[in-house]
Amino acid sequence: MEKKPTNRDLQALETEKKVTDTAMRLVREHGYDRVTISQICKACGVAKGTFYIYFTSKKDILIKLTSRFNKELSQLFIYDENLDSVTLYQNAVTSYLNYVSKDGHAFTKSYMKAMIDEELAAEENISLELQQNFIDKLICKGLRDGDFQLNMSCADFFALFRATLMGVLTQWSMSNESEGLIVMGQRVLFPLINLMKK
């Protein structure tokens, strides 16, 4: 039988969420490298000791945010058997780009830098797995429906997709927003699915 959380447990969860949400806001506004633990604590009204109850370092915040991103990402990819594979692909790409663009340049740049960090690699692999499973599923549907042919393996298509997506995210996060992420991403990523067409 599960133990009902006490008021203290609920308060601890609320404080952890408050610290995480505040850190996310500050990283969105200023970038990960420019935000300090002291700034996070001051902005959410907690002592540094309280911060260290929930996180061992500032990097733990990125791990937490990446984990949150992965949970939310899993809800973005909606597989509808009634839609054709190209539409499923375009909907997933657009949903992903919309989600990322709301975090802004500073956070996306921090996320891109963090992806090469070994400690964050495990969380990023969850995101990759979610994306790859969805892409594999829609390619299989396209093959079944006769819309696609196996011009390359699913793994090779996903590797190309992922490399292109990372290029788009990097380019956008380093730009001065001369072009929106959604427009740029759709222009570059939408044509990729044509590689699987008959």
Side-chain angles (χ1 to χ4, degrees), residues 18-27 32 35-48 51 55 57-58 61:
K18 182 176 164 184
V19 171
T20 304
D21 290 348
T22 301
M24 179 67 170
R25 180 179 54 79
L26 291 172
V27 169
Y32 175 78
V35 175
T36 65
I37 291 172
S38 295
Q39 289 172 315
I40 294 167
C41 293
K42 183 177 180 183
C44 63
V46 300
K48 264 190 177 181
F51 175 90
F55 305 100
S57 67
K58 190 169 85 165
I61 296 251

Side-chain angles (χ1 to χ4, degrees), residues 131-148:
Q131 293 171 35
Q132 186 161 13
N133 289 342
F134 189 82
I135 297 267
D136 288 352
K137 193 171 181 180
L138 73 86
I139 288 175
C140 287
K141 179 184 181 347
L143 291 168
R144 260 192 337 268
D145 293 350
D147 298 327
F148 294 165

Side-chain angles (χ1 to χ4, degrees), residues 87-115:
T87 302
L88 286 170
Y89 171 81
Q90 291 174 340
N91 288 349
V93 167
T94 302
S95 294
Y96 182 88
L97 295 171
N98 273 316
Y99 183 83
V100 171
S101 69
K102 78 178 170 77
D103 289 331
H105 284 94
F107 180 77
T108 303
K109 188 180 287 188
S110 299
Y111 177 75
M112 297 304 293
K113 285 164 109 179
M115 286 181 41

